[in-house]
């Protein structure tokens, strides 16, 4: 390594169990929320209920760092997440974020949600080819979404996350036989 600080960080990653445990904990608790910021009220409701359920919700509503563009930042956050909730009601950037990330997120479930009267953007159905892209959940309004959140969002996303982990472990075990 040419940079001592980076070498020290890499060394800590490789040898420090607490740092590995911290990264592991983040990937068990972080939930990325994607959506149109014109609908910030519903996104904030989702963030609040996730926080109440012990998750660390991430709503990318801050300025991007100079070293990365927004797509790269969202991609990094997606890879650290337990699962992703993508509100595709009135989508703006979400189709791009999903098209960029879903094909590469083999171990991160993505749960699309949409208001009942909304129509998914046309190419969203292409993402159905990926097993970690979950069935679209329709909600009537904020109140109905929040009342069904545990059974229709958290439980299915957690089950899918566990299934993806089990599949990966099984696949890796059979690859080494």
């Amino acid at each position: 390594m040419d940079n001592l600080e980076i070498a020290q960080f890499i060394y800590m990653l490789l040898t420090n169990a607490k740092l590995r445990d911290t990264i592991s904990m983040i990937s068990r608790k972080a939930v990325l929320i994607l959506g149109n910021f014109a609908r910030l009220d519903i996104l904030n409701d989702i963030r609040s209920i996730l926080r109440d359920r012990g998750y660390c919700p991430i709503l990318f509503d801050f300025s991007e760092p100079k070293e990365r563009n927004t797509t790269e930042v969202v991609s990094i956050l997606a890879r650290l997440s337990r699962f992703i909730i993508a509100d595709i009601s009135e989508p703006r950037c979400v189709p791009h974020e999903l098209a960029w990330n879903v094909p590469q997120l083999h171990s991160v479930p993505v749960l699309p949600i949409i208001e009942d009267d909304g129509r998914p953007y046309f190419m969203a159905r292409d993402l159905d080819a990926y097993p970690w892209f979950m069935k679209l959940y329709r909600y009537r309004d904020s109140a109905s979404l929040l009342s069904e959140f545990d059974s229709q969002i958290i439980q299915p996303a957690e089950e899918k996350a566990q299934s993806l982990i089990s599949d990966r472990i099984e696949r890796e075990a059979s690859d080494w036989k």
Side-chain angles (χ1 to χ4, degrees), residues 61-126:
D61 58 354
F62 47 89
S63 60
E64 65 187 35
K66 293 178 181 131
E67 298 80 17
R68 300 279 184 253
N69 64 40
T70 302
T71 302
E72 291 172 313
V73 172
V74 170
S75 184
I76 290 166
L77 296 172
R79 282 165 177 67
L80 286 172
S81 298
R82 174 72 171 176
F83 57 90
I84 298 168
I85 299 170
D87 188 347
I88 61 171
S89 307
E90 303 174 36
R92 292 188 52 153
C93 299
V94 176
H96 172 75
E97 293 164 336
L98 293 176
W100 180 268
N101 287 291
V102 169
Q104 303 168 34
L105 293 175
H106 305 266
S107 61
V108 181
V110 179
L111 179 60
I113 64 173
I114 192 168
E115 276 189 312
D116 244 348
D117 59 349
R119 292 186 56 187
Y121 61 96
F122 180 74
M123 296 180 80
R125 64 182 175 192
D126 292 354

Side-chain angles (χ1 to χ4, degrees), residues 10-67:
I10 298 298
Y11 176 79
M12 282 184 10
L13 280 175
L14 295 173
T15 62
N16 189 321
K18 284 189 177 196
L19 186 56
R20 284 194 310 268
D21 291 346
T22 301
I23 292 170
S24 181
M25 184 195 64
I26 291 169
S27 68
R28 284 192 309 270
K29 295 292 184 181
V31 177
L32 180 59
I33 305 165
L34 302 175
N36 182 342
F37 288 118
R39 301 174 45 78
L40 196 54
D41 54 336
I42 192 78
L43 300 178
N44 279 326
D45 287 345
I46 292 169
R47 178 169 38 187
S48 293
I49 197 165
L50 284 167
R51 191 174 293 120
D52 291 346
R53 300 302 187 268
Y55 290 95
C56 297
I58 303 169
L59 183 57
F60 186 66
D61 58 354
F62 47 89
S63 60
E64 65 187 35
K66 293 178 181 131
E67 298 80 17

